[in-house]
Amino acid sequence: MKRWEAVRSAILSDIDAGAFEDGRLPGDLVLAERFGVNRHTVRNAIKALESEGALRVQHGVGTFVADDFVSHRLNCDPRFTYKLLSQNKSLQREILSINEISVETDIAKRLNIAPLALVTEVRWVSFINDQPLATGSSYFPIDRVPDLAATFGRVKSFTAALKRCGIPEYKRKWIRITARRPTQQEAQRLRISSSSPVLFETNVDVTPDGLPIKYAFNVIRSDRYEYLIETNE
């Protein structure tokens, strides 16, 4: 790993931990002394983080944490809102539609239910500080998660809605992440160009005994989001 990459990772960890209380980073000289590198190395790290959307540089003023950037640690805990709270960020979700539909074959397979079985489909757009972060759809088997449509319309939180529907605990079974271009509708919802790459995530959540209760796909702005994978080494 190059020195500027190590500095980038360290600053990003500080951002994730909420180390910069006022949202402002120390000057280049202070950071250079802290990491034992020269100012040029620090500036390369800051430039990279700025291009990724993690920092905002105001020339003549200072370098600030971009509040709309999210670092997501991958594990079996699906509670995204809870993870955002640890980063001092708040998530707002706009519900586009909630419908009961007959499930497609691929979704039925993911949920381990019969083709054409009924599911609750929730389409949404999420925001960080009034800026769009992601859009997607989530599918819940009606026979396993009854009354979700009415419940979710009131609480706007998957975790809270599932708890009210009798599922207090669940975990992520798997997650798949790829990259692609957004559709025109997705680009409009995320306020980006149709040529801008997005992260495309699919996942399945299950009860503690392994019963699938949610399948979802999320289209995420890649300039405001990263996945962090930690090892035990």
Side-chain angles (χ1 to χ4, degrees):
M1 179 182 290
K2 297 179 180 179
R3 287 188 175 183
W4 73 264
E5 292 175 325
V7 173
R8 171 202 171 275
S9 296
I11 293 175
L12 195 56
S13 294
D14 285 346
I15 293 172
D16 191 29
F20 307 112
E21 295 183 1
D22 60 355
R24 183 170 184 165
L25 271 67
D28 293 351
L29 285 176
V30 175
L31 291 173
E33 182 177 353
R34 172 189 169 188
F35 296 117
V37 298
N38 58 44
R39 294 178 66 184
H40 181 70
T41 299
V42 169
R43 287 171 180 170
N44 282 341
I46 290 176
K47 184 178 180 180
L49 288 169
E50 183 184 21
S51 67
E52 294 166 8
L55 296 177
R56 301 204 186 285
V57 177
Q58 294 180 248
H59 297 288
V61 179
T63 301
F64 302 86
V65 176
D67 290 337
D68 55 5
F69 186 83
V70 175
S71 180
H72 184 179
R73 282 189 172 89
L74 284 181
N75 53 40
C76 63
D77 186 350
R79 296 175 299 168
F80 183 58
T81 302
Y82 174 81
K83 294 173 183 178
L84 283 178
L85 290 175
S86 69
Q87 300 175 45
N88 298 316
K89 296 180 175 68
S90 61
L91 176 75
Q92 298 84 41
R93 182 178 283 113
E94 176 184 337
I95 304 304
L96 302 177
S97 65
I98 303 178
N99 298 297
E100 294 183 355
I101 64 171
S102 295
V103 74
E104 298 176 0
T105 302
D106 181 63
I107 298 176
K109 181 180 179 181
R110 305 297 186 189
L111 292 171
N112 194 21
I113 58 178
L116 302 181
L118 288 177
V119 300
T120 300
E121 176 195 59
V122 181
R123 295 184 177 181
W124 49 268
V125 180
S126 62
F127 298 83
I128 299 292
N129 296 339
D130 298 322
Q131 296 297 320
L133 175 69
T135 185
S137 297
S138 302
Y139 303 87
F140 305 81
I142 287 181
D143 61 340
R144 297 174 190 167
V145 192
D147 302 322
L148 180 71
T151 303
F152 192 78
R154 292 193 298 270
V155 298
K156 302 293 189 301
S157 163
F158 289 126
T159 299
L162 287 170
K163 187 174 183 179
R164 293 191 181 190
C165 291
I167 304 176
E169 296 183 19
Y170 63 102
K171 62 182 180 180
R172 184 133 298 166
K173 182 178 181 180
W174 58 261
I175 182 170
R176 179 179 290 115
I177 305 162
T178 58
R180 63 169 173 81
R181 302 293 183 185
T183 65
Q184 183 176 1
Q185 185 180 64
E186 291 166 351
Q188 290 175 347
R189 290 177 182 174
L190 297 175
R191 302 176 195 168
I192 58 176
S193 166
S194 58
S195 63
S196 300
V198 293
L199 298 171
F200 182 67
E201 173 195 306
T202 55
N203 60 69
V204 167
D205 292 342
V206 298
T207 59
D209 59 0
L211 188 66
I213 48 90
K214 179 172 77 73
Y215 167 74
F217 70 82
N218 309 322
V219 181
I220 309 168
R221 287 189 57 152
S222 60
D223 62 336
R224 291 180 176 160
Y225 200 86
E226 76 164 11
Y227 290 95
L228 177 62
I229 302 172
E230 294 183 336
T231 67
N232 294 324
E233 297 180 358

